[in-house]
């Protein structure tokens, strides 16, 4: 066999082997690019702020501590309204949460607000407000909704279209022991009052309370 011909075959064979080996080698530059892109995507995800589904308000007491309350923005996640009733919610003056329950066709409307209160008992709150008050109709009196005890004062003024229930309920939950203020207003012309207690119960069952020392 011709020696030059054999050498040529060997050279070709080596070349093919090198090509095959090189095709199996990783491409570091491409892999590095993928890693960088993946990290960029991770950072983007971290920067995305999750949309809050809660209302959060707080009240400061003598700059010593603050009470923070949290409620769902969508009240229908904790309460089922009657047919035709539209429920809306909002934070008012950064101090309390207000929900509205309105049926425009039936011309009915209720407003419920929840607010952080002191770490006193409902009886102590009533004692403070009742002090010196001689009008029986303006006194805070014992009141109960379900398992929740508290005090209530009903405001029913002739010049107002609404009757107002001003309530303070005892709450002992998650390290907080004090009262939560709940106010419910309803149109005087609205005869059906069956859902008022359900609204109050939904608030008290689901309100989250936290007490923090001011730094």
């Amino acid at each position: 066999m011709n020696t030059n011909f054999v050498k040529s075959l060997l050279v070709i064979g080596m070349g093919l082997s090198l090509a095959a080996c090189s095709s199996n080698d990783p491409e570091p530059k491409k892999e590095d690019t993928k890693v960088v892109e993946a990290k960029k995507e991770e950072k983007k995800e971290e920067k995305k702020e999750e949309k809050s589904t809660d209302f959060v308000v707080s009240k400061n007491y003598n700059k010593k501590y603050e009470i923070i309350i949290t409620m769902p923005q969508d009240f229908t996640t904790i309460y089922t309204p009657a047919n035709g009733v539209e429920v809306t919610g909002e934070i008012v003056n950064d101090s309390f949460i207000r929900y509205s329950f309105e049926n425009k066709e039936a011309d009915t409307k209720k407003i419920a607000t929840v607010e952080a209160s002191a770490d006193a008992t409902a009886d102590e709150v009533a004692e403070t407000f009742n002090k010196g008050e001689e009008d029986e109709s303006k006194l805070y009196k014992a009141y109960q909704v379900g398992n929740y005890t508290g005090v209530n004062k009903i405001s029913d003024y002739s010049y107002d279209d609404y009757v107002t229930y001003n309530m303070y309920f005892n709450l002992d939950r998650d390290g907080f022991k004090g009262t939560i203020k709940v106010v419910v207003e309803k149109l005087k012309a609205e005869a059906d009052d069956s859902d008022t207690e359900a609204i109050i119960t939904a608030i008290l069952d689901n309100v989250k309370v936290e007490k923090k020392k001011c730094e």
Side-chain angles (χ1 to χ4, degrees):
M1 184 180 290
N2 190 309
T3 303
N4 290 332
F5 178 70
V6 173
K7 287 181 179 179
S8 298
L9 289 176
L10 288 172
V11 170
I12 293 170
M14 290 174 66
L16 290 172
S17 297
L18 289 170
C21 291
S22 62
S23 66
N24 291 328
D25 287 341
E27 298 180 11
K29 289 185 179 179
K30 289 184 180 180
E31 290 298 323
D32 289 346
T33 302
K34 289 180 180 179
V35 171
V36 171
E37 290 300 323
K39 287 182 178 179
K40 285 182 180 179
E41 289 300 320
E42 287 178 4
K43 287 182 179 179
K44 286 181 182 179
E45 290 298 323
E46 289 175 1
K47 288 181 179 179
K48 285 182 181 178
E49 294 184 2
E50 294 185 3
K51 188 177 179 180
S52 176
T53 58
D54 293 325
F55 288 133
V56 181
V57 295
S58 64
K59 181 176 284 187
N60 187 288
Y61 288 87
N62 301 321
K63 296 183 179 180
K64 292 181 179 179
Y65 63 89
E66 63 177 343
I67 297 175
I68 304 165
I69 63 170
T70 304
M71 285 290 296
Q73 289 184 13
D74 183 358
F75 200 78
T76 61
T77 60
I78 60 174
Y79 165 81
T80 303
N83 291 335
V85 175
E86 181 183 359
V87 184
T88 57
E90 62 181 335
I91 292 177
V92 181
N93 299 328
D94 294 324
S95 59
F96 62 89
I97 300 165
R98 179 167 63 195
Y99 298 101
S100 176
F101 308 82
E102 185 173 13
N103 187 330
K104 293 181 179 179
E105 291 186 2
D107 195 25
T108 64
K109 185 175 182 179
K110 285 187 178 69
I111 299 170
T113 63
V114 56
E115 184 178 351
S117 190
D119 55 352
T121 66
D123 286 340
E124 290 170 339
V125 172
E127 185 179 355
T128 300
F129 285 127
N130 289 344
K131 190 174 182 179
E133 180 59 67
E134 296 180 356
D135 188 341
E136 184 73 16
S137 66
K138 295 181 180 180
L139 295 177
Y140 279 89
K141 300 174 183 177
Y143 189 70
Q144 184 166 344
V145 173
N147 295 322
Y148 298 100
T149 60
V151 294
N152 176 32
K153 181 184 75 170
I154 300 175
S155 300
D156 187 359
Y157 302 110
S158 58
Y159 56 80
D160 198 344
D161 292 333
Y162 289 86
V163 58
T164 304
Y165 299 85
N166 304 279
M167 298 164 284
Y168 290 84
F169 289 98
N170 296 307
L171 201 65
D172 187 352
R173 182 181 299 163
D174 300 330
F176 170 80
K177 190 172 184 178
T179 53
I180 291 295
K181 182 180 180 181
V182 179
V183 177
V184 175
E185 301 171 72
K186 79 176 190 71
L187 286 169
K188 291 178 182 179
E190 185 176 345
D192 185 8
D193 196 32
S194 59
D195 59 342
T196 300
E197 186 170 319
I199 291 171
I200 296 169
T201 302
I203 290 172
L204 296 175
D205 281 348
N206 294 278
V207 64
K208 297 177 183 177
V209 192
E210 181 183 3
K211 181 180 177 180
K212 291 177 64 176
K213 288 184 177 180
C214 295
E215 297 180 357

